[in-house]
Amino acid sequence: MQARNFSLLTIVARANLCLNSDLGWLESMYLRRRTSKINWNLSYGSRSSTTKARFNRTGSGLKQILFLAPQPFYQDRGTPIAVNLMLKVYSERGDVLDVITYHEGEDVTHPNIQLIRTPSVPLISNIRPGFSWKKLVCDTCMFFQALHLVTTRKYQFVHAVEESVFIALVLKLLFGIPYLYDMDSSLSQQIVEQYPKLTFVSRVLGFLEGIAVKQAEVVIPVCDRLAEDIRHHNPRKVVVLPDVSLVG
């Protein structure tokens, strides 16, 4: 995954998308920040009563959210910047988050946000963006940590960034916890571009990616082209929220 700069407004909208409403019909989302005002007119289709119950609000925000961030966090580059801004929005709303992330990165603190890092594994360091065996090891650790958490705590939903959607998918199949897919790229296409000889792996991953897209309550791709690429998977809801440079 190539690093990108993210618009503060985009990140606020992403967090607001999954928080503002009981996921019946979501309309006229409105969130005030110190220097920003956003109006997003979006709507959801019907949801089952079970799903609606899981998204019921308590007080000023949701009770408990599991946030999956499969990157070194915090680092001063694209996706970690986006994650940090999303966590800030969640925190300001009063939501309680458990954030599973990699062992590398600087610690950041926000009220009601707990960072849970993967264990430090020998030879796993200097993890870069994009598919790699190092990320596979860390993602495996994330899966078992997430599995432990959902058996000991009650979450309203999972916010899955990038490839962590596969973890979220398993959690939904096992425990019925709905998830939001924060999609920055097609993982199957990414592998082919990075490792052309892994075409077979890409096909398998593409099949699994399609299931993950279809099972998500909402998929949030960063561009129209990515949204069109996943249409044939018949996602329940797609909302395109482009990334815009923070510079300037």
Side-chain angles (χ1 to χ4, degrees):
M1 178 83 50
Q2 293 183 348
R4 278 192 289 260
N5 288 327
F6 290 79
S7 164
L8 179 59
L9 300 186
T10 297
I11 304 310
V12 170
R14 286 189 180 191
N16 199 28
L17 174 64
C18 56
L19 292 172
N20 193 41
S21 182
D22 62 353
L23 287 191
W25 281 268
L26 185 59
E27 297 178 346
S28 301
M29 291 186 299
Y30 185 72
L31 179 63
R32 291 182 181 272
R33 299 206 63 188
R34 295 175 184 174
T35 58
S36 307
K37 181 189 293 184
I38 306 174
N39 232 337
W40 294 88
N41 293 314
L42 305 171
S43 62
Y44 283 89
S46 60
R47 290 289 183 267
S48 67
S49 58
T50 301
T51 300
K52 290 182 180 179
R54 287 185 177 276
F55 280 83
N56 281 342
R57 293 159 59 93
T58 301
S60 62
L62 295 171
K63 266 292 189 180
Q64 192 84 17
I65 301 164
L66 180 60
F67 193 105
L68 304 177
Q71 305 90 21
F73 182 78
Y74 173 74
Q75 291 183 350
D76 193 18
R77 60 180 177 85
T79 302
I81 292 174
V83 168
N84 191 43
L85 291 172
M86 282 187 280
L87 296 183
K88 183 177 181 181
V89 172
Y90 278 123
S91 176
E92 290 176 351
R93 283 179 45 86
D95 298 298
V96 179
L97 274 73
D98 290 329
V99 181
I100 306 180
T101 189
Y102 290 178
H103 60 282
E104 287 192 329
E106 301 175 11
D107 286 335
V108 295
T109 58
H110 298 289
N112 303 322
I113 305 293
Q114 179 184 11
L115 286 183
I116 302 171
R117 295 191 179 276
T118 57
S120 181
V121 179
L123 304 180
I124 306 296
S125 61
N126 192 30
I127 303 170
R128 307 306 305 163
F131 177 81
S132 68
W133 68 271
K134 293 181 180 180
K135 293 203 73 177
L136 282 177
V137 172
C138 291
D139 289 346
T140 301
C141 293
M142 283 186 65
F143 169 73
F144 286 107
Q145 288 176 306
L147 193 62
H148 171 71
L149 286 176
V150 299
T151 58
T152 57
R153 305 177 189 181
K154 185 176 181 180
Y155 295 103
Q156 271 64 45
F157 75 99
V158 177
H159 187 139
V161 179
E162 298 175 338
E163 75 269 14
S164 69
V165 69
F166 297 122
I167 300 175
L169 173 61
V170 173
L171 298 181
K172 179 178 180 179
L173 295 177
L174 292 178
F175 304 99
I177 306 173
Y179 64 89
L180 177 152
Y181 183 9
D182 204 329
M183 188 178 193
D184 290 339
S185 70
S186 169
L187 301 173
S188 56
Q189 292 178 10
Q190 182 186 131
I191 288 181
V192 170
E193 292 172 359
Q194 193 170 354
Y195 303 101
K197 294 183 179 181
L198 297 181
T199 303
F200 173 76
V201 176
S202 175
R203 290 174 181 171
V204 174
L205 188 58
F207 173 76
L208 296 176
E209 187 175 63
I211 297 176
V213 166
K214 190 171 184 177
Q215 289 295 318
E217 292 300 314
V218 58
V219 182
I220 309 180
V222 298
C223 62
D224 291 325
R225 180 176 179 180
L226 188 56
E228 287 302 318
D229 287 344
I230 64 173
R231 291 290 181 186
H232 68 283
H233 295 308
N234 298 317
R236 300 182 182 187
K237 181 66 181 179
V238 176
V239 178
V240 178
L241 292 177
D243 293 329
V244 184
S245 175
L246 286 170
V247 179

